[in-house]
Amino acid sequence: MSEAAGRNALISEELRKLIPLIISERQEITPVELCIYEEFAWSKIRNLRCLSTNGHAVRRTLEALVERFHNESMAIFGDALRHLYSLFLEQPNWKEENIEVDLQWSILDFLLALTTEPIQNVRRNRLEMNETRLAILQAVKMMTHGSDPVRHWKEVDDEDEYVESDEFVVPSARLYGNSSESLSEWSDDAVSDESNIAASSKDNLTSPSSKLVLVPASNTLPSSTVRINQPLSVYLGNNGRDSSFWCKLPKLSPLQPPRMFSQYEIHIRDENLVPRLIHSHWWRSDIKVVSQPQSTNPLANFAIVYVEYLNKKSYGMLHYPLPNTTSEKCLLREIIFMFFNPTSCCFFEVERTNQRRSIKVRSNVTTCSVTASTMKDVLEEEVLPALISMMDLRHIISEYMLNFSSIENAETANGSIVSTGTMECFAVAVRDLIQPIEQRLIAYEGKVKDSNETTSLISFIWHMKKDFEMLQLLHHLGTTCIVDTAPPHLKSAYLLSQLYGNTKLYVPHQKLATALLLFSLKRYCGIMDAWWQRAHLEDWRQEFIVERRHGLQGECDGLWGNIQARGLLLADDNEQNNKIYKQLGTCPFYRLLLDHALESGETQDLLASVNRLGDMLSTAANQNQSLHAELTARLFSDIGIYCGANAEFLGPEPDKQQIQTEEEIKKYDRELMQSCSMIHDQEILGLLTQHLSHETEEETNTEIPHAEVCQIFAALEKCTKLQLIYDLPRCLDNILRDRRNHASAFAMQYYREHLNLAEHVRFLRHIMFLEADYLLYPFYTQLFRNIESGEPWANSAVLTMELYDIIVTRYPDMAGQLHVELVSQVRAKSSKIYEALDAIQLVYDMPIAIQKILTPRMMSIYNSIWRLMLKVKWAAWKLENLRFIRRSDPYAPLDLLGLTVRRLEILRFWLNYLINSLHTHLCTHVMQAIGEQFERQLHKCSTIGKLYTLHNKYLDLLAKHCLLSDDFIKFRVALEQLLHLIFVLDMEWASCRRYVGESHALSLDLDLTEETDNDENRDINCLEYLALNQVVEIENTYIKCHQTLAEILQNLVHKQEHGFLSALEVVINSSVPY
């Protein structure tokens, strides 16, 4: 039988056993059903449709387990695991063709699925697992060397051991038989058998590793017979192996040559040092530590007496373990120690869960006079919250305080910045606030160590009550205001927003939150100071609420140009970040900072681009004072009303001796000035009073002293016990508004006096809105003629020169900045003028400062209105230049040809009336009326933002009234059809004039008396025109266009409430040619 056939037979046998076990719902299975199920299983086995096991995933899992062993200081188990599965995978049987795909990986995956907590099991049973590892490795080593011993399992003391069969001496068969011999016979036989075993094993007595193992004999006796078997002595021989095989001691490293001697420091032995410092025996479970009470009163050892009393009264049914007791001084020192370095000790236990540490109170440790349960309750309610708060606050301080010398450490593996400047300021503030608490803890520890001081747990809790409350408040602010996984700008903005939310009236810790908010604003104030003084966004951590948009100049469009508010990433699908971003949008403090950053940043960039930033700063008030210092001074100046006086910043008290010295120096300076008043030589006077001028300059440039968060909080608590009414946001708003107003006033003065913004806007209105029609008429009429002639006209340089020659007489300073640009070669080749006009646009080269107001989007609106006006001008010009067709006898009655010509003329009148109505609406009701309102409001703008908003609204209103917005798409389509109808009417008019052959009305007729021979040809042409003309189609098309326009305007006026079109709607609806 081949190997495949044998394997199939084994599989078939196993299937017959497996199928009844799977189908457990029915008690009996018929042979037919069993055959059907077996065939179904064989079909599944033969047709392998499932995917093979992913070997890479199994290998990664095994390598991860090996790495976990290494990290858990169990590298020997990890190396053994890697060695074993490597040998398993290198077996040559897996390369046979009849083996299933990835069978070895499937087996390993199956074994991994059966594994339960391997790390924990090895850690709990370290010695047993190590013995098992050595036995397995030894067995593998023997198998690889070619030996194949037969192993048997014997149960010895309820443990499993591997015993090789060739090392046994097989006992007598009578010991395993079903005999009913007496106890004496059994003893004699056993003794004789033991002697035989000893005799047969005599040759192996010289082995140094020989030993006796007692193996109980297994025997199957009848249920009615009870037999006691004596254990069999089995000798494990050496079997030719050396002593190193049986030695389980670790191998020693080879001898090394002597090294250099080590220098040791002389230490004086202190016998009391170890008992005073080592406390590990306090919490060991195998050692009971009992402290000796100071009093002889039995109740002084109440903790143990009470447990003994409970055990006595339980009458053996319950047994309460005696608690470990220690002195109250040790307890207090341990509590103080836990505030500085939390670790597992006598009363507390530190556990790590999910990469975070937690503190728990041990259950059976107390002092002599308090029960363990009472001590645990007191510690959990009074001390444990403060310990947890201190531990978490230290974690915040260590995590968010960066070392600037190693900026690389500030980023995580995915490149996101862990900490920001704002969060670092918050961490520094928290550190400064807990430093006084640490000093009071250390001072109290001195009292505990002093034998003359009386201290207790109750007095300690009462002494540190306010400090514990402060720690819990700081912990609450730290956990609610800090978000871990978010972009840097969201972290900083969310921190400030949450701190601002805690400064409201109904919050009890308002002043603490105000002090933290003021100190956390240092980073933002530094960024805004740099922007205010240098127009540079110094935000290398990407935490500020705005950013510069990098791109082309044409892309930097909008209210703030290349400055925009930071938002979420396009690929950011984090629900938490989206929620934070929406929450920030409703925060007034965030909106205050964002509005100032957008407007002030744009103004500073504008002044820096025209080199006027230094001039603006030289005229600003408090130019040498930082924003944070000014904000601190303004805050304490405003809250001085609570004290009844103008309170200054309450910092540390100055030195009295230093004040006295400064007063003496000032007195000497005054006497010196009086004595020098009679000196008229300016050089000698300057030498004598030079130091006075330097002191005066230093006094004027002296800033407000640096304020620490502890000083700020103490000053807020000292000035008033009442709550503050949004003083910090109001002060910040006033300072930022003063800065913006000063910069905006300086910028607006520059716009008005140096840039002449009004002249630029007026120039664009006259040229691009065709308000100076008398000046531009030659230009656009010549352009219409060039397009109609079919000659190449789309030359930007030629059109620019023609435009320059026309407007240079009226605008000599601005004519050179305007030029014509070709935007579409396809439309430029069109013979229809209203389509060819879309191929050109005007480009105005203006200064950079003007570009902040006249953005590319606004220039596109200007060009859209310019092209619309050119189309309307062309339609009016074309209809006015259609000359009347003169007949040979103007006074003869109208024939059929005359009626046709008259219909063409009436159609021209209709179109002329409609186009003129539209032209009047655009020029009178739109351009002139809105332009006058814009000029009146232009001089009232005080900031660049208001100027930009005014100009933007002006252009949007113009685009809307010129029917260029999205609400008037149908009207523009109908107007396009009307312009096309004018183009068709022009061709029909030319065709009629060519067929009729009329001459000009003012031409001289020299052959009135002579009859020409062309009369017959003229009659033929007239008849041909009557047969081929399209006057009726043009009339019907115009009527439909007119009706469509009237209906659209009626809907716009009455349904969509566009009242500015009411006059145009009345004109068009009252002239419908039905």
Side-chain angles (χ1 to χ4, degrees):
M1 182 182 295
S2 63
E3 184 177 356
R7 184 185 60 176
N8 292 337
L10 292 175
I11 294 174
S12 178
E13 183 179 356
E14 295 298 329
L15 283 177
R16 292 190 185 95
K17 299 177 181 179
L18 179 62
I19 291 173
L21 296 176
I22 295 177
I23 306 175
S24 60
E25 296 179 358
R26 300 177 56 184
Q27 297 296 331
E28 296 180 358
I29 304 176
T30 61
V32 178
E33 292 178 349
L34 183 61
C35 293
I36 293 175
Y37 289 136
E38 186 177 353
E39 289 296 331
F40 177 75
W42 268 112
S43 64
K44 294 296 182 182
I45 295 174
R46 293 191 188 97
N47 301 323
L48 184 60
R49 297 180 181 177
C50 61
L51 296 177
S52 61
T53 305
N54 190 349
H56 298 287
V58 178
R59 183 183 292 276
R60 285 195 297 268
T61 305
L62 291 171
E63 289 297 330
L65 188 57
V66 172
E67 183 180 0
R68 178 69 184 280
F69 273 116
H70 281 268
N71 294 336
E72 295 289 342
S73 300
M74 295 184 287
I76 55 176
F77 293 97
D79 297 338
L81 177 62
R82 182 184 283 115
H83 176 65
L84 291 175
Y85 82 73
S86 299
L87 291 178
F88 179 75
L89 294 174
E90 292 173 359
Q91 293 296 322
N93 297 332
W94 309 126
K95 301 180 181 179
E96 297 181 4
E97 297 181 355
N98 54 355
I99 299 298
E100 285 77 2
V101 180
D102 292 340
L103 180 60
Q104 65 275 29
W105 296 110
S106 301
I107 295 174
L108 289 177
D109 189 19
F110 176 71
L111 294 176
L112 285 174
L114 295 179
T115 305
T116 303
E117 297 181 352
I119 306 297
Q120 290 79 354
N121 290 331
V122 172
R123 187 186 295 111
R124 297 190 190 102
N125 308 305
R126 189 70 173 265
L127 297 178
E128 292 79 355
M129 288 296 180
N130 192 24
E131 293 177 0
T132 304
R133 178 187 66 84
L134 294 175
I136 293 174
L137 291 178
Q138 187 64 32
V140 172
K141 182 178 179 181
M142 293 175 59
M143 293 178 63
T144 54
H145 284 78
S147 61
D148 189 13
V150 180
R151 296 184 178 274
H152 299 274
W153 293 88
K154 295 295 180 180
E155 186 176 354
V156 181
D157 293 336
D158 296 332
E159 294 184 0
D160 295 338
E161 291 185 359
Y162 294 106
V163 181
E164 296 181 357
S165 60
D166 56 352
E167 296 175 352
F168 281 102
V169 177
V170 181
S172 175
R174 293 192 302 113
L175 294 177
Y176 295 92
N178 294 330
S179 176
S180 59
E181 297 177 354
S182 63
L183 182 60
S184 59
E185 294 177 355
W186 176 83
S187 303
D188 296 338
D189 294 340
V191 171
S192 61
D193 289 337
E194 289 181 0
S195 61
N196 294 332
I197 293 173
S200 62
S201 304
K202 186 176 181 180
D203 298 335
N204 295 328
L205 289 176
T206 58
S207 174
S209 59
S210 60
K211 59 181 180 179
L212 293 176
V213 180
L214 300 179
V215 181
S218 61
N219 190 12
T220 304
L221 299 176
S223 58
S224 60
T225 304
V226 178
R227 182 177 179 179
I228 302 177
N229 294 331
Q230 184 179 4
L232 175 65
S233 299
V234 180
Y235 180 79
L236 301 180
N238 187 21
N239 198 17
R241 297 186 178 92
D242 56 357
S243 59
S244 62
F245 174 79
W246 299 103
C247 183
K248 299 303 181 182
L249 296 177
K251 294 183 179 180
L252 299 178
S253 59
L255 295 177
Q256 300 292 335
R259 300 180 181 179
M260 296 293 294
F261 66 93
S262 301
Q263 296 181 357
Y264 298 97
E265 296 180 357
I266 300 176
H267 182 70
I268 300 175
R269 181 181 179 184
D270 187 2
E271 297 180 355
N272 298 325
L273 180 64
V274 174
R276 184 159 45 90
L277 295 181
I278 298 180
H279 310 290
S280 60
H281 56 270
W282 282 356
W283 58 88
R284 286 180 55 178
S285 59
D286 56 340
I287 298 177
K288 289 295 181 182
V289 180
V290 179
S291 176
Q292 182 178 1
Q294 298 179 358
S295 175
T296 57
N297 188 353
L299 293 179
N301 199 10
F302 180 74
I304 295 179
V305 171
Y306 178 70
V307 175
E308 292 177 349
Y309 173 77
L310 293 179
N311 291 332
K312 181 179 180 181
K313 290 298 181 181
S314 63
Y315 299 104
M317 299 181 65
L318 294 175
H319 178 73
Y320 297 96
L322 294 177
N324 291 344
T325 60
T326 183
S327 64
E328 199 161 5
K329 290 184 178 292
C330 294
L331 169 61
L332 293 177
R333 294 194 64 189
E334 182 175 327
I335 292 174
I336 296 173
F337 176 76
M338 289 293 293
F339 277 101
F340 292 91
N341 188 10
T343 185
S344 296
C345 51
C346 179
F347 287 89
F348 301 96
E349 182 180 4
V350 178
E351 295 181 354
R352 182 177 293 274
T353 57
N354 298 328
Q355 299 182 353
R356 296 189 67 88
R357 294 191 300 174
S358 61
I359 302 176
K360 295 182 179 180
V361 180
R362 295 185 184 272
S363 58
N364 202 28
V365 182
T366 181
T367 58
C368 298
S369 58
V370 183
T371 61
S373 59
T374 304
M375 178 63 68
K376 182 179 180 182
D377 295 339
V378 171
L379 293 178
E380 286 180 348
E381 293 179 3
E382 301 294 340
V383 180
L384 186 60
L387 288 177
I388 295 175
S389 301
M390 178 66 85
M391 183 180 63
D392 292 343
L393 290 176
R394 290 185 182 276
H395 175 72
I396 291 174
I397 294 171
S398 62
E399 183 175 2
Y400 295 109
M401 285 185 62
L402 297 180
N403 184 9
F404 288 95
S405 61
S406 58
I407 301 300
E408 310 84 36
N409 299 331
E411 298 186 0
T412 57
N414 57 0
S416 63
I417 299 178
V418 176
S419 181
T420 63
T422 304
M423 301 182 72
E424 185 176 358
C425 291
F426 178 78
V428 171
V430 172
R431 183 200 62 187
D432 294 344
L433 287 173
I434 67 174
Q435 280 181 354
I437 303 176
E438 294 175 349
Q439 294 174 1
R440 281 189 285 273
L441 287 170
I442 294 174
Y444 197 87
E445 187 186 14
K447 294 182 180 180
V448 174
K449 292 190 295 183
D450 191 358
S451 59
N452 297 326
E453 294 286 343
T454 302
T455 57
S456 63
L457 179 61
I458 297 176
S459 62
F460 172 75
I461 295 174
W462 180 258
H463 178 75
M464 302 296 297
K465 183 177 181 181
K466 293 184 178 180
D467 298 326
F468 288 171
E469 292 177 355
M470 173 66 73
L471 287 175
Q472 295 180 25
L473 287 177
L474 291 175
H475 179 259
H476 169 71
L477 292 175
T479 53
T480 58
C481 299
I482 292 179
V483 58
D484 295 331
T485 57
H489 66 281
L490 284 185
K491 288 183 178 180
S492 299
Y494 184 76
L495 173 63
L496 297 177
S497 175
Q498 292 298 311
L499 288 176
Y500 167 76
N502 285 275
T503 60
K504 296 180 180 179
L505 287 174
Y506 56 84
V507 181
H509 52 274
Q510 180 199 35
K511 295 178 183 177
L512 176 61
T514 302
L516 289 173
L517 177 60
L518 180 59
F519 199 83
S520 301
L521 277 172
K522 274 190 173 182
R523 177 56 182 163
Y524 269 27
C525 291
I527 294 175
M528 287 187 282
D529 276 336
W531 211 344
W532 169 257
Q533 298 172 1
R534 298 181 293 274
H536 181 64
L537 184 59
E538 298 178 356
D539 184 24
W540 63 270
R541 296 191 190 179
Q542 301 177 2
E543 62 174 305
F544 201 49
I545 52 181
V546 297
E547 63 180 345
R548 292 189 183 275
R549 192 190 324 175
H550 300 285
L552 301 176
Q553 183 66 23
E555 297 176 357
C556 299
D557 193 10
L559 178 59
W560 308 117
N562 60 346
I563 300 175
Q564 64 178 2
R566 289 188 187 271
L568 296 175
L569 299 177
L570 296 178
D572 193 355
D573 297 333
N574 194 340
E575 184 179 355
Q576 181 183 4
N577 294 345
N578 294 326
K579 185 178 180 180
I580 293 174
Y581 190 70
K582 292 179 181 178
Q583 185 177 355
L584 290 176
T586 60
C587 179
F589 193 74
Y590 175 80
R591 297 302 309 176
L592 168 65
L593 295 174
L594 181 61
D595 294 342
H596 165 74
L598 291 174
E599 185 173 349
S600 177
E602 182 63 25
T603 305
Q604 299 304 107
D605 288 350
L606 173 63
L607 294 176
S609 63
V610 296
N611 297 325
R612 293 302 181 103
L613 184 60
D615 300 337
M616 186 272 296
L617 292 176
S618 62
T619 59
N622 300 326
Q623 54 181 334
N624 295 326
Q625 194 173 8
S626 64
L627 176 59
H628 191 265
E630 187 178 358
L631 175 61
T632 305
R634 183 76 64 89
L635 175 63
F636 284 94
S637 177
D638 288 351
I639 65 176
I641 59 176
Y642 297 105
C643 303
N646 293 327
E648 297 180 355
F649 176 71
L650 303 177
E653 296 182 357
D655 189 4
K656 296 182 179 180
Q657 184 177 1
Q658 183 179 1
I659 294 176
Q660 185 178 0
T661 305
E662 292 179 355
E663 290 179 353
E664 292 178 356
I665 294 174
K666 290 181 180 180
K667 182 179 180 181
Y668 170 77
D669 293 338
R670 287 194 299 269
E671 293 177 355
L672 178 63
M673 291 297 295
Q674 291 177 0
S675 61
C676 294
S677 60
M678 303 300 294
I679 300 176
H680 299 286
D681 191 346
Q682 297 296 327
E683 294 182 359
I684 298 176
L685 183 62
L687 291 174
L688 294 175
T689 60
Q690 184 178 5
H691 67 285
L692 297 179
S693 60
H694 289 305
E695 290 178 359
T696 305
E697 184 178 355
E698 290 177 359
E699 288 179 0
T700 56
N701 295 333
T702 301
E703 292 188 3
I704 294 177
H706 178 67
E708 298 295 338
V709 64
C710 295
Q711 300 173 359
I712 296 173
F713 179 60
L716 291 174
E717 290 286 346
K718 185 177 180 180
C719 64
T720 178
K721 294 184 178 180
L722 301 177
Q723 289 191 331
L724 308 177
I725 308 176
Y726 303 108
D727 291 286
L728 180 59
R730 184 177 65 249
C731 295
L732 182 61
D733 188 19
N734 293 335
I735 296 173
L736 297 180
R737 188 185 300 109
D738 293 342
R739 287 190 174 189
R740 288 200 309 268
N741 293 339
H742 178 72
S744 299
F746 195 87
M748 289 303 300
Q749 181 182 2
Y750 177 76
Y751 269 111
R752 293 191 183 100
E753 297 179 359
H754 296 82
L755 297 180
N756 295 323
L757 177 64
E759 293 297 327
H760 286 277
V761 176
R762 189 177 296 109
F763 170 71
L764 292 178
R765 286 174 51 204
H766 288 177
I767 301 301
M768 304 192 74
F769 294 166
L770 301 182
E771 292 186 4
D773 185 71
Y774 63 92
L775 187 64
L776 296 173
Y777 182 80
F779 170 75
Y780 65 74
T781 53
Q782 184 62 33
L783 178 64
F784 297 157
R785 293 189 182 95
N786 293 337
I787 297 175
E788 285 184 346
S789 64
E791 299 176 359
W793 62 273
N795 192 329
S796 300
V798 175
L799 293 175
T800 302
M801 287 189 296
E802 292 177 358
L803 181 62
Y804 175 80
D805 293 338
I806 290 175
I807 65 177
V808 70
T809 57
R810 181 65 177 82
Y811 302 99
D813 298 333
M814 303 177 184
Q817 301 175 2
L818 193 66
H819 62 272
V820 183
E821 184 179 11
L822 186 66
V823 296
S824 177
Q825 291 285 352
V826 177
R827 289 185 176 274
K829 297 178 181 180
S830 177
S831 59
K832 301 176 182 179
I833 297 179
Y834 63 90
E835 292 182 355
L837 291 175
D838 293 332
I840 57 176
Q841 69 176 7
L842 291 179
V843 179
Y844 186 47
D845 297 333
M846 50 193 137
I848 297 178
I850 300 295
Q851 293 178 11
K852 303 291 183 180
I853 305 299
L854 300 176
T855 60
R857 190 189 73 85
M858 296 181 181
M859 290 304 300
S860 65
I861 297 177
Y862 273 107
N863 278 289
S864 299
I865 298 175
W866 180 62
R867 285 190 288 264
L868 175 64
M869 293 301 299
L870 284 180
K871 292 177 183 179
V872 176
K873 291 287 185 181
W874 167 77
W877 174 78
K878 175 54 65 180
L879 293 173
E880 290 176 357
N881 284 278
L882 291 179
R883 295 185 293 112
F884 289 98
I885 301 174
R886 183 186 176 191
R887 295 178 298 163
S888 58
D889 186 5
Y891 300 103
L894 294 175
D895 52 2
L896 185 58
L897 180 61
L899 291 175
T900 304
V901 172
R902 183 60 57 83
R903 293 172 66 180
L904 275 176
E905 294 172 352
I906 294 173
L907 188 58
R908 170 186 173 274
F909 287 134
W910 288 348
L911 285 170
N912 197 9
Y913 177 78
L914 184 59
I915 295 298
N916 286 334
S917 300
L918 181 60
H919 182 268
T920 303
H921 168 75
L922 294 176
C923 294
T924 305
H925 296 84
V926 179
M927 305 296 179
Q928 185 177 0
I930 300 177
E932 290 178 356
Q933 297 178 6
F934 173 71
E935 286 187 352
R936 288 195 300 268
Q937 297 176 0
L938 184 61
H939 299 285
K940 300 179 182 179
C941 294
S942 59
T943 63
I944 299 177
K946 292 180 180 179
L947 178 61
Y948 177 88
T949 304
L950 176 63
H951 187 258
N952 191 21
K953 289 182 179 180
Y954 166 65
L955 285 183
D956 290 340
L957 188 61
L958 277 180
K960 180 179 179 181
H961 284 220
C962 291
L963 307 173
L964 294 176
S965 60
D966 296 337
D967 296 338
F968 309 104
I969 296 178
K970 294 182 180 180
F971 182 87
R972 292 200 299 273
V973 172
L975 182 61
E976 196 80 12
Q977 294 293 330
L978 197 62
L979 295 176
H980 180 71
L981 186 62
I982 295 174
F983 176 75
V984 174
L985 178 63
D986 179 47
M987 292 190 299
E988 185 66 26
W989 197 283
S991 176
C992 180
R993 188 168 58 246
R994 185 174 61 254
Y995 275 108
V996 174
E998 53 90 18
S999 58
H1000 196 271
L1002 300 179
S1003 62
L1004 299 176
D1005 192 0
L1006 301 177
D1007 300 330
L1008 295 176
T1009 58
E1010 298 179 1
E1011 294 181 358
T1012 61
D1013 297 335
N1014 296 329
D1015 292 340
E1016 294 180 359
N1017 294 334
R1018 183 177 300 173
D1019 295 338
I1020 294 174
N1021 291 336
C1022 291
L1023 294 175
E1024 185 178 355
Y1025 174 72
L1026 291 174
L1028 300 176
N1029 72 87
Q1030 298 180 358
V1031 177
V1032 178
E1033 288 78 2
I1034 295 175
E1035 282 183 350
N1036 294 332
T1037 304
Y1038 170 74
I1039 292 172
K1040 291 181 181 179
C1041 289
H1042 197 121
Q1043 291 175 349
T1044 303
L1045 282 175
E1047 183 179 357
I1048 291 173
L1049 288 174
Q1050 186 177 3
N1051 292 333
L1052 290 173
V1053 172
H1054 298 288
K1055 291 184 179 181
Q1056 301 184 19
E1057 297 182 356
H1058 295 295
F1060 62 90
L1061 295 174
S1062 58
L1064 184 62
E1065 185 266 337
V1066 171
V1067 170
I1068 294 180
N1069 274 292
S1070 61
S1071 61
V1072 176
Y1074 294 108

